[in-house]
Amino acid sequence: MVQKAERVRGRQGRPVGNVTRGTTNPNRMRRLDRWLTGPQARRLRAAKHPLVVDLGYGASPTTAVELFERLQAVRPNVRVCGIEIEPARVHAASRLARPGLSFHLGGFEVPVPGDPVLVRAFNVLRQYEETDVPAIWDLVRSRLSPGGLFVDGTCDEIGRRVTWVAMDPERILSLSISMRFGSFELPSEIAERLPKALIHRNVPGERIYSFLQAMDRAWLEAAPLASFGNRQRWSAMCRSLLDGGWPLLDGPSRWRLGELTVDWESVAPG
């Protein structure tokens, strides 16, 4: 059920946001976490105080624990704070707290000491109204450290189809799409997992619609490469998109994972 974020502007002493369903599964965020520990690892390495927030980790803290363990490989002294708006969820998660990993009651105001270098909010804004998204994005971005990154994303129940929008304190940067090979016939099937800012925009005349249609055309044109494997076919699709003028921001090392990242302005709502 979509909920109106009635407290986006905040009320004295109360978290900003509403309780959401909170469903999750182990390893559901692995595709995003692979991106955070890959091309975005530089942000964590450069941070004087490596603070990371998992915003709205859900009824189970599993994905917050996984994020902590994965980021430790990049920055052993990382601090991960899981934030939930439901007190019972925070109480249950606190049993898994350890040095570097803690759990806090709160919402989009991000009530943690210090300015985080990374904030991850997955499958959270999907449950809000589209009109709430800009204010929520601005609020979370205002809490980032210089050079920090906020990621708002959506995925299916077991993490086979994933999308996320990345933004820093100054601007919205990109949209990333990551799909498990063999889980789709056409790339445009990712449409049902687009972030809230885009999911209702997949209609003719919108940029995201044009981009997904271009992905499908390039994927079909690359069909002769299927015998060499889907990695080669996806990479050929990405090369075709790039040659066709779509501003992809990554390259073959990410494409071979079933991933691509495109400049936000090329897919943003019209």
Side-chain angles (χ1 to χ4, degrees), residues 28-51:
R28 189 180 185 186
M29 313 301 180
R30 63 190 180 278
R31 288 183 170 268
L32 170 65
D33 292 351
R34 183 175 61 189
W35 187 74
L36 293 177
T37 57
Q40 301 305 315
R42 58 183 175 81
R43 299 179 188 270
L44 200 60
R45 293 191 182 103
K48 184 176 181 180
H49 303 290
L51 172 63

PDB file of all heavy atoms in Angstrom, residues 28-51:
ATOM      1  N   ARG A  28      19.600  -9.917  -0.760  1.00  0.00           N
ATOM      2  CA  ARG A  28      18.735  -9.209  -1.705  1.00  0.00           C
ATOM      3  C   ARG A  28      19.432  -7.988  -2.306  1.00  0.00           C
ATOM      4  O   ARG A  28      19.155  -7.608  -3.441  1.00  0.00           O
ATOM      5  CB  ARG A  28      17.466  -8.772  -0.986  1.00  0.00           C
ATOM      6  CG  ARG A  28      16.377  -8.223  -1.904  1.00  0.00           C
ATOM      7  CD  ARG A  28      15.148  -7.825  -1.103  1.00  0.00           C
ATOM      8  NE  ARG A  28      14.053  -7.398  -1.964  1.00  0.00           N
ATOM      9  CZ  ARG A  28      12.910  -6.890  -1.523  1.00  0.00           C
ATOM     10  NH1 ARG A  28      12.709  -6.749  -0.221  1.00  0.00           N
ATOM     11  NH2 ARG A  28      11.971  -6.523  -2.372  1.00  0.00           N
ATOM     12  N   MET A  29      20.352  -7.370  -1.558  1.00  0.00           N
ATOM     13  CA  MET A  29      20.995  -6.138  -2.008  1.00  0.00           C
ATOM     14  C   MET A  29      22.383  -6.371  -2.604  1.00  0.00           C
ATOM     15  O   MET A  29      23.162  -5.446  -2.772  1.00  0.00           O
ATOM     16  CB  MET A  29      21.123  -5.151  -0.847  1.00  0.00           C
ATOM     17  CG  MET A  29      19.885  -4.967  -0.019  1.00  0.00           C
ATOM     18  SD  MET A  29      18.467  -4.394  -0.965  1.00  0.00           S
ATOM     19  CE  MET A  29      17.241  -4.301   0.340  1.00  0.00           C
ATOM     20  N   ARG A  30      22.711  -7.608  -2.917  1.00  0.00           N
ATOM     21  CA  ARG A  30      24.073  -7.929  -3.322  1.00  0.00           C
ATOM     22  C   ARG A  30      24.526  -7.152  -4.556  1.00  0.00           C
ATOM     23  O   ARG A  30      25.715  -6.791  -4.670  1.00  0.00           O
ATOM     24  CB  ARG A  30      24.219  -9.424  -3.563  1.00  0.00           C
ATOM     25  CG  ARG A  30      23.361  -9.970  -4.703  1.00  0.00           C
ATOM     26  CD  ARG A  30      23.347 -11.486  -4.739  1.00  0.00           C
ATOM     27  NE  ARG A  30      22.528 -12.016  -5.818  1.00  0.00           N
ATOM     28  CZ  ARG A  30      21.212 -12.160  -5.757  1.00  0.00           C
ATOM     29  NH1 ARG A  30      20.571 -11.780  -4.671  1.00  0.00           N
ATOM     30  NH2 ARG A  30      20.536 -12.656  -6.770  1.00  0.00           N
ATOM     31  N   ARG A  31      23.621  -6.902  -5.501  1.00  0.00           N
ATOM     32  CA  ARG A  31      24.020  -6.209  -6.728  1.00  0.00           C
ATOM     33  C   ARG A  31      24.384  -4.754  -6.442  1.00  0.00           C
ATOM     34  O   ARG A  31      25.378  -4.241  -6.972  1.00  0.00           O
ATOM     35  CB  ARG A  31      22.914  -6.313  -7.785  1.00  0.00           C
ATOM     36  CG  ARG A  31      22.807  -7.710  -8.365  1.00  0.00           C
ATOM     37  CD  ARG A  31      21.787  -7.849  -9.467  1.00  0.00           C
ATOM     38  NE  ARG A  31      21.957  -9.167 -10.103  1.00  0.00           N
ATOM     39  CZ  ARG A  31      22.720  -9.408 -11.154  1.00  0.00           C
ATOM     40  NH1 ARG A  31      23.373  -8.410 -11.729  1.00  0.00           N
ATOM     41  NH2 ARG A  31      22.852 -10.614 -11.649  1.00  0.00           N
ATOM     42  N   LEU A  32      23.605  -4.095  -5.608  1.00  0.00           N
ATOM     43  CA  LEU A  32      23.972  -2.737  -5.228  1.00  0.00           C
ATOM     44  C   LEU A  32      25.246  -2.734  -4.402  1.00  0.00           C
ATOM     45  O   LEU A  32      26.146  -1.911  -4.635  1.00  0.00           O
ATOM     46  CB  LEU A  32      22.853  -2.071  -4.426  1.00  0.00           C
ATOM     47  CG  LEU A  32      23.257  -0.745  -3.781  1.00  0.00           C
ATOM     48  CD1 LEU A  32      23.563   0.306  -4.841  1.00  0.00           C
ATOM     49  CD2 LEU A  32      22.219  -0.263  -2.806  1.00  0.00           C
ATOM     50  N   ASP A  33      25.355  -3.653  -3.439  1.00  0.00           N
ATOM     51  CA  ASP A  33      26.539  -3.682  -2.584  1.00  0.00           C
ATOM     52  C   ASP A  33      27.807  -3.929  -3.402  1.00  0.00           C
ATOM     53  O   ASP A  33      28.879  -3.396  -3.077  1.00  0.00           O
ATOM     54  CB  ASP A  33      26.382  -4.756  -1.508  1.00  0.00           C
ATOM     55  CG  ASP A  33      25.301  -4.415  -0.494  1.00  0.00           C
ATOM     56  OD1 ASP A  33      24.795  -3.272  -0.517  1.00  0.00           O
ATOM     57  OD2 ASP A  33      24.952  -5.285   0.327  1.00  0.00           O
ATOM     58  N   ARG A  34      27.689  -4.703  -4.461  1.00  0.00           N
ATOM     59  CA  ARG A  34      28.833  -4.939  -5.357  1.00  0.00           C
ATOM     60  C   ARG A  34      29.254  -3.640  -6.030  1.00  0.00           C
ATOM     61  O   ARG A  34      30.442  -3.402  -6.263  1.00  0.00           O
ATOM     62  CB  ARG A  34      28.445  -5.993  -6.394  1.00  0.00           C
ATOM     63  CG  ARG A  34      29.543  -6.390  -7.357  1.00  0.00           C
ATOM     64  CD  ARG A  34      29.093  -7.522  -8.247  1.00  0.00           C
ATOM     65  NE  ARG A  34      27.931  -7.154  -9.058  1.00  0.00           N
ATOM     66  CZ  ARG A  34      27.246  -8.032  -9.796  1.00  0.00           C
ATOM     67  NH1 ARG A  34      27.578  -9.316  -9.802  1.00  0.00           N
ATOM     68  NH2 ARG A  34      26.210  -7.627 -10.526  1.00  0.00           N
ATOM     69  N   TRP A  35      28.291  -2.784  -6.342  1.00  0.00           N
ATOM     70  CA  TRP A  35      28.583  -1.474  -6.930  1.00  0.00           C
ATOM     71  C   TRP A  35      29.208  -0.540  -5.901  1.00  0.00           C
ATOM     72  O   TRP A  35      30.144   0.203  -6.206  1.00  0.00           O
ATOM     73  CB  TRP A  35      27.288  -0.891  -7.481  1.00  0.00           C
ATOM     74  CG  TRP A  35      27.395   0.378  -8.259  1.00  0.00           C
ATOM     75  CD1 TRP A  35      27.886   0.526  -9.526  1.00  0.00           C
ATOM     76  CD2 TRP A  35      26.966   1.687  -7.842  1.00  0.00           C
ATOM     77  NE1 TRP A  35      27.789   1.847  -9.929  1.00  0.00           N
ATOM     78  CE2 TRP A  35      27.219   2.575  -8.917  1.00  0.00           C
ATOM     79  CE3 TRP A  35      26.392   2.181  -6.681  1.00  0.00           C
ATOM     80  CZ2 TRP A  35      26.931   3.944  -8.851  1.00  0.00           C
ATOM     81  CZ3 TRP A  35      26.088   3.533  -6.609  1.00  0.00           C
ATOM     82  CH2 TRP A  35      26.361   4.398  -7.685  1.00  0.00           C
ATOM     83  N   LEU A  36      28.711  -0.589  -4.676  1.00  0.00           N
ATOM     84  CA  LEU A  36      29.262   0.265  -3.614  1.00  0.00           C
ATOM     85  C   LEU A  36      30.704  -0.122  -3.275  1.00  0.00           C
ATOM     86  O   LEU A  36      31.524   0.749  -2.970  1.00  0.00           O
ATOM     87  CB  LEU A  36      28.387   0.178  -2.359  1.00  0.00           C
ATOM     88  CG  LEU A  36      26.974   0.754  -2.473  1.00  0.00           C
ATOM     89  CD1 LEU A  36      26.209   0.516  -1.181  1.00  0.00           C
ATOM     90  CD2 LEU A  36      27.005   2.242  -2.819  1.00  0.00           C
ATOM     91  N   THR A  37      30.996  -1.412  -3.323  1.00  0.00           N
ATOM     92  CA  THR A  37      32.359  -1.865  -3.015  1.00  0.00           C
ATOM     93  C   THR A  37      33.247  -1.899  -4.246  1.00  0.00           C
ATOM     94  O   THR A  37      34.424  -2.249  -4.153  1.00  0.00           O
ATOM     95  CB  THR A  37      32.332  -3.263  -2.370  1.00  0.00           C
ATOM     96  OG1 THR A  37      31.656  -4.181  -3.243  1.00  0.00           O
ATOM     97  CG2 THR A  37      31.607  -3.221  -1.031  1.00  0.00           C
ATOM     98  N   GLY A  38      32.669  -1.560  -5.410  1.00  0.00           N
ATOM     99  CA  GLY A  38      33.435  -1.496  -6.653  1.00  0.00           C
ATOM    100  C   GLY A  38      33.702  -0.057  -7.037  1.00  0.00           C
ATOM    101  O   GLY A  38      34.570   0.601  -6.452  1.00  0.00           O
ATOM    102  N   PRO A  39      32.965   0.478  -8.015  1.00  0.00           N
ATOM    103  CA  PRO A  39      33.256   1.833  -8.488  1.00  0.00           C
ATOM    104  C   PRO A  39      33.058   2.929  -7.446  1.00  0.00           C
ATOM    105  O   PRO A  39      33.633   4.005  -7.575  1.00  0.00           O
ATOM    106  CB  PRO A  39      32.281   2.015  -9.666  1.00  0.00           C
ATOM    107  CG  PRO A  39      31.313   0.910  -9.582  1.00  0.00           C
ATOM    108  CD  PRO A  39      31.941  -0.195  -8.829  1.00  0.00           C
ATOM    109  N   GLN A  40      32.273   2.680  -6.398  1.00  0.00           N
ATOM    110  CA  GLN A  40      32.057   3.713  -5.380  1.00  0.00           C
ATOM    111  C   GLN A  40      32.939   3.535  -4.149  1.00  0.00           C
ATOM    112  O   GLN A  40      32.848   4.341  -3.211  1.00  0.00           O
ATOM    113  CB  GLN A  40      30.586   3.724  -4.965  1.00  0.00           C
ATOM    114  CG  GLN A  40      29.632   3.978  -6.106  1.00  0.00           C
ATOM    115  CD  GLN A  40      29.956   5.259  -6.861  1.00  0.00           C
ATOM    116  OE1 GLN A  40      30.212   6.301  -6.267  1.00  0.00           O
ATOM    117  NE2 GLN A  40      29.935   5.186  -8.185  1.00  0.00           N
ATOM    118  N   ALA A  41      33.782   2.531  -4.140  1.00  0.00           N
ATOM    119  CA  ALA A  41      34.630   2.281  -2.974  1.00  0.00           C
ATOM    120  C   ALA A  41      35.564   3.454  -2.688  1.00  0.00           C
ATOM    121  O   ALA A  41      35.957   3.678  -1.536  1.00  0.00           O
ATOM    122  CB  ALA A  41      35.445   1.008  -3.195  1.00  0.00           C
ATOM    123  N   ARG A  42      35.890   4.235  -3.713  1.00  0.00           N
ATOM    124  CA  ARG A  42      36.779   5.381  -3.529  1.00  0.00           C
ATOM    125  C   ARG A  42      36.222   6.379  -2.522  1.00  0.00           C
ATOM    126  O   ARG A  42      36.981   7.032  -1.793  1.00  0.00           O
ATOM    127  CB  ARG A  42      37.008   6.076  -4.869  1.00  0.00           C
ATOM    128  CG  ARG A  42      35.724   6.563  -5.539  1.00  0.00           C
ATOM    129  CD  ARG A  42      35.957   7.178  -6.905  1.00  0.00           C
ATOM    130  NE  ARG A  42      34.714   7.539  -7.576  1.00  0.00           N
ATOM    131  CZ  ARG A  42      34.024   8.648  -7.334  1.00  0.00           C
ATOM    132  NH1 ARG A  42      34.479   9.525  -6.442  1.00  0.00           N
ATOM    133  NH2 ARG A  42      32.899   8.894  -7.977  1.00  0.00           N
ATOM    134  N   ARG A  43      34.904   6.509  -2.483  1.00  0.00           N
ATOM    135  CA  ARG A  43      34.300   7.449  -1.536  1.00  0.00           C
ATOM    136  C   ARG A  43      34.554   6.999  -0.105  1.00  0.00           C
ATOM    137  O   ARG A  43      34.846   7.811   0.770  1.00  0.00           O
ATOM    138  CB  ARG A  43      32.793   7.563  -1.804  1.00  0.00           C
ATOM    139  CG  ARG A  43      32.440   8.086  -3.191  1.00  0.00           C
ATOM    140  CD  ARG A  43      30.932   8.147  -3.393  1.00  0.00           C
ATOM    141  NE  ARG A  43      30.578   8.470  -4.772  1.00  0.00           N
ATOM    142  CZ  ARG A  43      30.413   9.707  -5.232  1.00  0.00           C
ATOM    143  NH1 ARG A  43      30.560  10.732  -4.420  1.00  0.00           N
ATOM    144  NH2 ARG A  43      30.093   9.911  -6.500  1.00  0.00           N
ATOM    145  N   LEU A  44      34.425   5.718   0.122  1.00  0.00           N
ATOM    146  CA  LEU A  44      34.641   5.176   1.464  1.00  0.00           C
ATOM    147  C   LEU A  44      36.107   5.261   1.860  1.00  0.00           C
ATOM    148  O   LEU A  44      36.440   5.613   2.992  1.00  0.00           O
ATOM    149  CB  LEU A  44      34.157   3.728   1.506  1.00  0.00           C
ATOM    150  CG  LEU A  44      33.858   3.136   2.886  1.00  0.00           C
ATOM    151  CD1 LEU A  44      32.777   3.928   3.596  1.00  0.00           C
ATOM    152  CD2 LEU A  44      33.459   1.676   2.760  1.00  0.00           C
ATOM    153  N   ARG A  45      36.988   4.974   0.915  1.00  0.00           N
ATOM    154  CA  ARG A  45      38.421   5.030   1.214  1.00  0.00           C
ATOM    155  C   ARG A  45      38.881   6.456   1.522  1.00  0.00           C
ATOM    156  O   ARG A  45      39.770   6.674   2.334  1.00  0.00           O
ATOM    157  CB  ARG A  45      39.221   4.466   0.044  1.00  0.00           C
ATOM    158  CG  ARG A  45      39.026   2.975  -0.196  1.00  0.00           C
ATOM    159  CD  ARG A  45      40.040   2.438  -1.183  1.00  0.00           C
ATOM    160  NE  ARG A  45      39.838   1.032  -1.463  1.00  0.00           N
ATOM    161  CZ  ARG A  45      39.266   0.550  -2.570  1.00  0.00           C
ATOM    162  NH1 ARG A  45      38.852   1.401  -3.512  1.00  0.00           N
ATOM    163  NH2 ARG A  45      39.106  -0.743  -2.742  1.00  0.00           N
ATOM    164  N   ALA A  46      38.263   7.432   0.842  1.00  0.00           N
ATOM    165  CA  ALA A  46      38.683   8.822   1.007  1.00  0.00           C
ATOM    166  C   ALA A  46      38.078   9.487   2.231  1.00  0.00           C
ATOM    167  O   ALA A  46      38.530  10.563   2.635  1.00  0.00           O
ATOM    168  CB  ALA A  46      38.312   9.623  -0.247  1.00  0.00           C
ATOM    169  N   ALA A  47      37.060   8.879   2.829  1.00  0.00           N
ATOM    170  CA  ALA A  47      36.350   9.509   3.933  1.00  0.00           C
ATOM    171  C   ALA A  47      37.199   9.543   5.195  1.00  0.00           C
ATOM    172  O   ALA A  47      37.781   8.527   5.593  1.00  0.00           O
ATOM    173  CB  ALA A  47      35.042   8.769   4.206  1.00  0.00           C
ATOM    174  N   LYS A  48      37.248  10.694   5.826  1.00  0.00           N
ATOM    175  CA  LYS A  48      37.951  10.816   7.096  1.00  0.00           C
ATOM    176  C   LYS A  48      37.232  10.024   8.170  1.00  0.00           C
ATOM    177  O   LYS A  48      37.865   9.364   9.012  1.00  0.00           O
ATOM    178  CB  LYS A  48      38.054  12.284   7.500  1.00  0.00           C
ATOM    179  CG  LYS A  48      38.869  12.511   8.771  1.00  0.00           C
ATOM    180  CD  LYS A  48      39.009  13.999   9.063  1.00  0.00           C
ATOM    181  CE  LYS A  48      39.842  14.221  10.311  1.00  0.00           C
ATOM    182  NZ  LYS A  48      39.986  15.679  10.625  1.00  0.00           N
ATOM    183  N   HIS A  49      35.913  10.091   8.146  1.00  0.00           N
ATOM    184  CA  HIS A  49      35.090   9.328   9.079  1.00  0.00           C
ATOM    185  C   HIS A  49      34.145   8.450   8.261  1.00  0.00           C
ATOM    186  O   HIS A  49      33.132   8.935   7.766  1.00  0.00           O
ATOM    187  CB  HIS A  49      34.297  10.267   9.991  1.00  0.00           C
ATOM    188  CG  HIS A  49      35.152  11.215  10.771  1.00  0.00           C
ATOM    189  ND1 HIS A  49      35.973  10.793  11.802  1.00  0.00           N
ATOM    190  CD2 HIS A  49      35.339  12.560  10.653  1.00  0.00           C
ATOM    191  CE1 HIS A  49      36.604  11.839  12.293  1.00  0.00           C
ATOM    192  NE2 HIS A  49      36.253  12.911  11.616  1.00  0.00           N
ATOM    193  N   PRO A  50      34.471   7.174   8.065  1.00  0.00           N
ATOM    194  CA  PRO A  50      33.700   6.299   7.167  1.00  0.00           C
ATOM    195  C   PRO A  50      32.381   5.842   7.787  1.00  0.00           C
ATOM    196  O   PRO A  50      32.228   4.703   8.226  1.00  0.00           O
ATOM    197  CB  PRO A  50      34.654   5.130   6.931  1.00  0.00           C
ATOM    198  CG  PRO A  50      35.467   5.062   8.188  1.00  0.00           C
ATOM    199  CD  PRO A  50      35.637   6.483   8.639  1.00  0.00           C
ATOM    200  N   LEU A  51      31.407   6.759   7.794  1.00  0.00           N
ATOM    201  CA  LEU A  51      30.085   6.476   8.346  1.00  0.00           C
ATOM    202  C   LEU A  51      29.117   6.155   7.212  1.00  0.00           C
ATOM    203  O   LEU A  51      29.011   6.913   6.238  1.00  0.00           O
ATOM    204  CB  LEU A  51      29.578   7.684   9.137  1.00  0.00           C
ATOM    205  CG  LEU A  51      28.124   7.636   9.625  1.00  0.00           C
ATOM    206  CD1 LEU A  51      27.918   6.484  10.610  1.00  0.00           C
ATOM    207  CD2 LEU A  51      27.735   8.969  10.251  1.00  0.00           C
TER     208      LEU A  51
END
